[in-house]
Amino acid sequence: MLRHMNGEFNRIAHEFAHAHGLHTTDVQALIAILDSDPGEPVTPGVLRERLNITSGAVTACLDRLERAGHVRRERDPGDRRVIHLRYAGRGRQVAREYFGPLARGTEAARVRFSEAELRVAARFLAAVNDELDHLRS
């Protein structure tokens, strides 16, 4: 079931990438930026580590995403050498429109479960993600 769900998520990400002239790596970068902790801004170096790609590939990816209006680069006011990556307003709007049906479908599935069932499912998914993180290192 997880493989099927992952395959469908990948299909949707590929379709989004194709519809917006992006690479699938660009979509992975958008997800990493969107899912980042607001207190810990994503830098190009962090993105390179998360996606396991070269710094040159990160630069090319960010250039495409910036040109398409999905992200913006901001200099850290405390250290102008540091660049923070932010999800741009236009990019959020495009993503919301495209992924709205997926979000509504996810919500329709979620409401069919009790809070206790959702906590168990969340614990399971967290454990799977922990195991995947161990495989990465």
Side-chain angles (χ1 to χ4, degrees):
M1 285 187 228
L2 286 173
R3 276 193 307 273
H4 176 76
M5 185 175 65
N6 187 53
E8 286 302 302
F9 284 148
N10 283 336
R11 179 188 58 77
I12 292 167
H14 283 273
E15 289 174 356
F16 178 81
H18 180 72
H20 295 278
L22 302 173
H23 296 188
T24 55
T25 302
D26 301 345
V27 177
Q28 291 174 335
L30 285 172
I31 292 167
I33 294 166
L34 183 63
D35 287 348
S36 68
D37 181 350
E40 290 184 37
V42 175
T43 64
V46 167
L47 196 59
R48 182 187 58 73
E49 289 175 17
R50 286 190 188 162
L51 300 181
N52 196 28
I53 58 178
T54 66
S55 56
V58 168
T59 299
C61 171
L62 292 175
D63 288 346
R64 286 188 299 271
L65 290 173
E66 196 170 41
R67 273 194 309 273
H70 290 283
V71 298
R72 65 183 191 280
R73 294 172 171 123
E74 293 179 356
R75 295 218 177 261
D76 183 311
D79 184 347
R80 304 282 298 154
R81 296 169 297 174
V82 176
I83 305 258
H84 293 180
L85 305 173
R86 307 275 190 224
Y87 214 95
R90 179 183 174 283
R92 270 187 209 282
Q93 179 183 347
V94 167
R96 228 180 251 123
E97 289 169 6
Y98 194 91
F99 293 106
L102 176 61
R104 287 188 293 279
T106 302
E107 180 61 14
R110 188 195 66 77
V111 299
R112 296 194 298 254
F113 295 88
S114 70
E115 288 302 315
E117 290 171 316
L118 291 170
R119 281 192 298 273
V120 170
R123 278 190 10 242
F124 168 73
L125 293 172
V128 169
N129 282 325
D130 286 345
E131 293 300 323
L132 291 172
D133 287 344
H134 290 304
L135 290 174
R136 179 182 276 232
S137 45

